[in-house]
Amino acid sequence: MISHKTPAHLKSEILEAIAHPNRVRILEHLGKEILCNCELAPALSLEQSNLSRHLKILVQAGVIVSWKEGLRVNFKIADERVLKILDLAQAVAKRSIETKAGVLEEG
Amino acid sequence: MISHKTPAHLKSEILEAIAHPNRVRILEHLGKEILCNCELAPALSLEQSNLSRHLKILVQAGVIVSWKEGLRVNFKIADERVLKILDLAQAVAKRSIETKAGVLEEG
DNA sequence: ACGCTCTATGAGTACTTACTCATACAGTCA
DNA sequence: TGACTGTATGAGTAAGTACTCATAGAGCGT
């Protein structure tokens, strides 16, 4: 079964999964340590059901992986490159803001 | 005026701007050459007005820059790192697909 | 001035998304 | 078994997004 998705579609699926601010925060936490839903919820001040759905989106995109451990479901980053994407996004955002500030000054 | 946006929010603004499949396609084209709306529209098979709005989103995020040249408005990548983000997204997507295939085989 | 080309935007619609509440499901321990 | 903890999901709602059509604006040429 070969995927018929275009390259642009493949990329956007990963990026859409990552792009939500709460999911960015989840990834930032998981970049440091393995955590479960019950630890992330208070750390991010998110409703348990809401967080569960965000985590599901990340798992389905293949950005994080999960496994059961007793009652808990643990999560960790599946591919370290997603953290690199976050770093680059940060850098682009920073430059964008600086450029806008520069335009205002010289104007 | 200092921005009060959280790091997660800054990142997600860039990623949300990039994440749409049509905007990924726009960036892929602009990664190779400078183009105007009128050249991109037929290349991407997008409605002129629809394309114009996608380009606006990318400009507002600071991902691309635009300048007038007669009737045309040209666009180019503002920060080459967005292309790197697309490459990484592609790599993550590829690995995700392979991992899922592996799971199916060993199952 | 006029017509022509290219781009931007208002308005309307269909679709998707995030969120919350309530509830079901899964696993542990007494 | 029942009570308890942790997770997933159905249902409903509010908000956001992408798309199209029509139209306005901006700049070129005659």
Side-chain angles (χ1 to χ4, degrees), chain B residues 29-46:
Chain B
H29 276 73
L30 292 181
K32 299 176 207 146
E33 51 186 334
I34 293 167
L35 293 166
C36 67
N37 195 320
C38 63
E39 290 164 327
L40 280 166
L44 303 174
S45 300
L46 291 180

Side-chain angles (χ1 to χ4, degrees), chain A residues 6-16, chain B residues 15-31 44 54 58 77 82-83 85-87 89-90:
Chain A
T6 65
H9 204 106
L10 285 175
K11 290 167 195 162
S12 71
E13 278 185 291
I14 297 296
L15 295 171
E16 282 171 4
Chain B
L15 294 172
E16 282 172 2
I18 299 176
H20 190 283
N22 284 334
R23 295 198 284 273
V24 169
R25 292 170 68 212
I26 290 170
L27 293 173
E28 286 173 342
H29 276 73
L30 292 181
L44 303 174
H54 281 304
L58 290 170
I77 301 285
V82 299
L83 299 177
I85 291 176
L86 294 184
D87 284 345
Q90 170 90 15

